[in-house]
Amino acid sequence: MAQTLEILSHRTDTLTSIRGIVHTMKTLSAINALPYEHAAQAIEVYHRTILEGFRAFVHHNSALLLSTKIPAKRAVVVFGSDHGLCGGYNERLADELFKQLERHGPDAIPARVLCVGTRMKDALVARGILTEQTSLPPASADGIGRLAGILATQIEDITRQSGPDPIAVDLAFTERTAGSSQEPVLRRLLPLDSKMIADLVDQPWVSRSLPCFTMPASDLLAELVIGHLFSSLFRASAEAMVTENAARLALMQQAEQSIDDRLEEMKAETRSVRQSEITTELLDIIAGFEALSKRRPRPAMASNYPTQR
């Protein structure tokens, strides 16, 4: 369908405005991701300190006996996006969690799901996964600690309700992988990873001073577990926010490239239509001139011969 020059100009202006919005969203995504990335790096240092505490505890107490009981209850903390414009971020994580839960079969322990983000909750409900509690994602890097504290309290309540029976707690979030890509993962948080403890036992204590502590061993171990719990929740939340902004940035870059390609097509089409209109106007002028020339009577030609008398 042929388009007029006015329509093409209007559509070009609209695409230009949309491109400005997309470019702004891309810039904001790049700016917002940086504080969360710094928060993730900072909590890694804190978590290494917690692991050093575990290592000192194990070295002082020779061994750390972990419960071999099969967990009677299970909880999953899911970190999603609540801002949109990041593609299928929530849907990919919900699909991965559904596969993991389905893999255990119908006789598996029903998981109590703690969700971060209302849109993440909708994606889970669409797949038949009911959420018990829903928290809002952090609005800034300063809110990650608040969210980690809320989730730690909720997990503590679930643990208290389970009584003496052990409980398994998993973290479901999207993390960065090699090659600037990202993928949804499901990580065990509680009970403590036996491989992690075994690695700490195998590491020799290289300091000149031996580790020691004055507080009761049970209280120290409880504080170390709480620190491990908080740092793991903090890191998962920060990593989720980094990958969310990265997904939004990649999507905005694709949208900007698509708009630029469409703008080039619109400009080429506008030049073609403008040239066609100019050509049509010139042809109309020529045709009008020829029509006027045919209607105008020719002037009588003067004779060069003298008139006879």
Side-chain angles (χ1 to χ4, degrees):
M1 179 180 177
Q3 302 186 58
T4 63
L5 188 61
E6 290 78 12
I7 294 177
L8 289 173
S9 299
H10 177 71
R11 292 186 176 179
T12 301
D13 294 339
T14 303
L15 282 176
T16 304
S17 301
I18 295 175
R19 188 191 185 281
I21 297 173
V22 170
H23 182 75
T24 302
M25 293 298 300
K26 185 180 75 170
T27 304
L28 289 176
S29 298
I31 294 175
N32 291 337
L34 190 59
Y36 296 113
E37 187 172 357
H38 289 167
Q41 294 172 355
I43 203 62
E44 282 292 339
V45 177
Y46 175 76
H47 191 245
R48 284 198 296 268
T49 304
I50 296 295
L51 293 180
E52 283 296 316
F54 274 115
R55 183 182 169 200
F57 183 89
V58 171
H59 181 82
H60 188 275
N61 291 273
S62 299
L64 180 60
L65 298 178
L66 299 178
S67 176
T68 57
K69 293 182 179 180
I70 299 176
K73 293 186 178 181
R74 185 182 184 188
V76 181
V77 184
V78 187
F79 296 87
S81 168
D82 207 17
H83 300 293
L85 294 178
C86 51
Y89 183 88
N90 293 326
E91 287 71 17
R92 287 192 295 269
L93 181 57
D95 289 337
E96 179 64 24
L97 179 59
F98 180 78
K99 291 177 183 178
Q100 294 291 339
L101 296 178
E102 194 179 39
R103 190 171 300 169
H104 295 282
D107 297 332
I109 305 171
R112 303 176 65 176
V113 180
L114 307 178
C115 181
V116 178
T118 55
R119 296 195 179 192
M120 186 73 245
K121 175 183 177 181
D122 295 338
L124 293 174
V125 172
R127 288 155 181 80
I129 303 175
L130 301 181
T131 59
E132 184 171 317
Q133 296 183 18
T134 304
S135 303
L136 295 177
S140 65
D142 297 333
I144 300 179
R146 172 195 60 80
L147 176 62
I150 293 175
L151 294 175
T153 302
Q154 294 174 355
I155 293 174
E156 184 179 357
D157 293 339
I158 295 176
T159 304
R160 189 182 300 110
Q161 293 171 8
S162 65
D165 298 328
I167 181 173
V169 180
D170 296 324
L171 301 180
F173 59 98
T174 304
E175 71 172 359
R176 292 165 289 177
T177 59
S180 301
S181 60
Q182 50 187 252
E183 63 179 7
V185 295
L186 193 65
R187 295 281 174 80
R188 175 57 56 88
L189 178 60
L190 293 176
L192 295 177
D193 187 4
S194 58
K195 183 178 182 302
M196 179 187 72
I197 301 301
D199 293 340
L200 294 176
V201 173
D202 294 338
Q203 293 180 9
W205 189 263
V206 296
S207 175
R208 293 183 179 180
S209 58
L210 295 177
C212 63
F213 51 87
T214 57
M215 64 188 302
S218 59
D219 295 342
L220 176 59
L221 180 59
E223 291 297 328
L224 290 174
V225 172
I226 291 174
H228 171 67
L229 178 67
F230 177 82
S231 59
S232 299
L233 290 169
F234 191 104
R235 180 189 176 277
S237 178
E239 189 71 17
M241 296 305 296
V242 171
T243 53
E244 174 193 341
N245 283 280
R248 186 176 296 109
L249 175 62
L251 188 64
M252 292 299 103
Q253 286 178 336
Q254 295 177 3
E256 189 177 40
Q257 183 61 44
S258 299
I259 292 174
D260 288 339
D261 295 341
R262 182 55 182 159
L263 278 174
E264 288 298 325
E265 295 176 1
M266 295 289 290
K267 289 178 180 179
E269 191 172 357
T270 300
R271 289 192 295 267
S272 177
V273 172
R274 183 181 291 113
Q275 185 63 41
S276 298
E277 290 188 359
I278 293 174
T279 302
T280 302
E281 291 178 358
L282 289 175
L283 292 176
D284 290 342
I285 293 173
I286 294 174
F289 176 78
E290 291 180 352
L292 291 175
S293 299
K294 291 179 179 180
R295 291 181 182 180
R296 184 181 302 172
R298 293 185 178 182
M301 299 183 62
S303 175
N304 294 328
Y305 296 99
T307 304
Q308 296 181 358
R309 293 182 179 179

